[in-house]
Short mmCIF file of all heavy atoms in Angstrom, two decimals:
data_model
loop_
_atom_site.label_atom_id
_atom_site.label_comp_id
_atom_site.label_asym_id
_atom_site.label_seq_id
_atom_site.Cartn_x
_atom_site.Cartn_y
_atom_site.Cartn_z
N ILE A 250 226.27 86.49 109.36
CA ILE A 250 227.69 86.18 109.51
C ILE A 250 228.20 86.61 110.87
O ILE A 250 228.92 85.87 111.56
CB ILE A 250 228.49 86.86 108.38
CG1 ILE A 250 228.14 86.24 107.03
CG2 ILE A 250 230.00 86.76 108.65
CD1 ILE A 250 228.82 86.92 105.85
N LEU A 251 227.81 87.81 111.29
CA LEU A 251 228.24 88.32 112.59
C LEU A 251 227.70 87.48 113.74
O LEU A 251 228.37 87.29 114.76
CB LEU A 251 227.81 89.78 112.75
CG LEU A 251 228.58 90.81 111.92
CD1 LEU A 251 227.87 92.16 111.92
CD2 LEU A 251 230.00 90.96 112.46
N ILE A 252 226.46 86.99 113.58
CA ILE A 252 225.88 86.12 114.61
C ILE A 252 226.74 84.87 114.80
O ILE A 252 226.89 84.36 115.92
CB ILE A 252 224.44 85.73 114.23
CG1 ILE A 252 223.52 86.96 114.30
CG2 ILE A 252 223.90 84.64 115.15
CD1 ILE A 252 222.16 86.74 113.68
N PHE A 253 227.32 84.39 113.72
CA PHE A 253 228.15 83.17 113.78
C PHE A 253 229.56 83.46 114.28
O PHE A 253 230.08 82.75 115.16
CB PHE A 253 228.20 82.53 112.38
CG PHE A 253 229.08 81.32 112.31
CD1 PHE A 253 228.68 80.10 112.85
CD2 PHE A 253 230.35 81.39 111.71
CE1 PHE A 253 229.51 78.99 112.80
CE2 PHE A 253 231.17 80.30 111.65
CZ PHE A 253 230.76 79.08 112.20
N ILE A 254 230.18 84.54 113.76
CA ILE A 254 231.59 84.74 114.08
C ILE A 254 231.81 85.47 115.40
O ILE A 254 232.87 85.32 116.03
CB ILE A 254 232.32 85.49 112.95
CG1 ILE A 254 231.82 86.95 112.84
CG2 ILE A 254 232.19 84.76 111.63
CD1 ILE A 254 232.67 87.80 111.90
N THR A 255 230.83 86.28 115.84
CA THR A 255 231.06 87.07 117.07
C THR A 255 231.21 86.18 118.30
O THR A 255 232.13 86.41 119.11
CB THR A 255 229.93 88.09 117.26
OG1 THR A 255 229.81 88.90 116.11
CG2 THR A 255 230.22 88.99 118.46
N PRO A 256 230.35 85.17 118.55
CA PRO A 256 230.61 84.28 119.69
C PRO A 256 231.95 83.56 119.59
O PRO A 256 232.65 83.41 120.60
CB PRO A 256 229.44 83.29 119.64
CG PRO A 256 228.37 83.99 118.87
CD PRO A 256 229.08 84.82 117.88
N LEU A 257 232.30 83.13 118.38
CA LEU A 257 233.61 82.50 118.21
C LEU A 257 234.72 83.48 118.53
O LEU A 257 235.72 83.11 119.18
CB LEU A 257 233.76 81.99 116.77
CG LEU A 257 232.83 80.83 116.35
CD1 LEU A 257 233.07 80.48 114.89
CD2 LEU A 257 233.06 79.62 117.24
N ALA A 258 234.53 84.73 118.09
CA ALA A 258 235.54 85.75 118.38
C ALA A 258 235.67 85.97 119.88
O ALA A 258 236.78 86.15 120.40
CB ALA A 258 235.16 87.05 117.68
N GLY A 259 234.54 85.95 120.59
CA GLY A 259 234.60 86.12 122.04
C GLY A 259 235.35 84.98 122.71
O GLY A 259 236.15 85.21 123.63
N ILE A 260 235.11 83.76 122.26
CA ILE A 260 235.79 82.59 122.85
C ILE A 260 237.29 82.64 122.56
O ILE A 260 238.13 82.42 123.44
CB ILE A 260 235.17 81.30 122.31
CG1 ILE A 260 233.72 81.19 122.80
CG2 ILE A 260 235.98 80.08 122.76
CD1 ILE A 260 232.94 80.06 122.15
N VAL A 261 237.62 82.96 121.29
CA VAL A 261 239.04 83.04 120.92
C VAL A 261 239.72 84.17 121.68
O VAL A 261 240.86 84.04 122.13
CB VAL A 261 239.17 83.25 119.39
CG1 VAL A 261 240.62 83.53 119.01
CG2 VAL A 261 238.65 82.03 118.64
N PHE A 262 239.01 85.29 121.86
CA PHE A 262 239.56 86.42 122.60
C PHE A 262 239.89 86.01 124.03
O PHE A 262 240.99 86.31 124.53
CB PHE A 262 238.55 87.57 122.60
CG PHE A 262 238.97 88.77 123.39
CD1 PHE A 262 239.78 89.75 122.83
CD2 PHE A 262 238.56 88.94 124.70
CE1 PHE A 262 240.18 90.85 123.55
CE2 PHE A 262 238.94 90.04 125.44
CZ PHE A 262 239.76 91.01 124.86
N MET A 263 238.97 85.30 124.69
CA MET A 263 239.23 84.87 126.06
C MET A 263 240.38 83.86 126.12
O MET A 263 241.21 83.89 127.04
CB MET A 263 237.96 84.27 126.66
CG MET A 263 236.90 85.31 126.98
SD MET A 263 235.46 84.66 127.85
CE MET A 263 234.63 83.80 126.52
N ALA A 264 240.44 82.98 125.12
CA ALA A 264 241.54 82.02 125.06
C ALA A 264 242.87 82.74 124.90
O ALA A 264 243.89 82.37 125.51
CB ALA A 264 241.32 81.04 123.91
N GLY A 265 242.89 83.78 124.05
CA GLY A 265 244.12 84.54 123.86
C GLY A 265 244.55 85.24 125.13
O GLY A 265 245.75 85.31 125.42
N ILE A 266 243.62 85.74 125.90
CA ILE A 266 243.95 86.38 127.17
C ILE A 266 244.56 85.37 128.13
O ILE A 266 245.58 85.63 128.79
CB ILE A 266 242.70 87.02 127.79
CG1 ILE A 266 242.25 88.24 126.96
CG2 ILE A 266 242.95 87.43 129.24
CD1 ILE A 266 243.18 89.42 127.02
N LEU A 267 243.93 84.19 128.21
CA LEU A 267 244.40 83.18 129.16
C LEU A 267 245.78 82.65 128.77
O LEU A 267 246.61 82.34 129.63
CB LEU A 267 243.40 82.02 129.24
CG LEU A 267 242.04 82.38 129.86
CD1 LEU A 267 241.07 81.20 129.76
CD2 LEU A 267 242.20 82.80 131.32
N ARG A 268 246.02 82.56 127.44
CA ARG A 268 247.31 82.04 126.98
C ARG A 268 248.36 83.14 126.88
O ARG A 268 249.54 82.85 126.67
CB ARG A 268 247.16 81.39 125.62
CG ARG A 268 246.33 80.11 125.65
CD ARG A 268 246.30 79.48 124.26
NE ARG A 268 245.52 78.26 124.24
CZ ARG A 268 245.38 77.47 123.17
NH1 ARG A 268 245.98 77.82 122.04
NH2 ARG A 268 244.65 76.39 123.24
N GLY A 269 247.93 84.37 126.96
CA GLY A 269 248.86 85.47 126.81
C GLY A 269 249.27 85.73 125.38
O GLY A 269 250.33 86.30 125.12
N SER A 270 248.43 85.33 124.41
CA SER A 270 248.73 85.50 122.99
C SER A 270 248.13 86.81 122.50
O SER A 270 246.91 87.00 122.52
CB SER A 270 248.16 84.33 122.18
OG SER A 270 248.25 84.60 120.80
#
Side-chain angles (χ1 to χ4, degrees):
I250 293 176
L251 287 167
I252 292 169
F253 177 75
I254 68 170
T255 305
L257 293 178
I260 294 171
V261 172
F262 177 84
M263 288 186 285
I266 291 291
L267 293 174
R268 292 183 180 183
S270 171

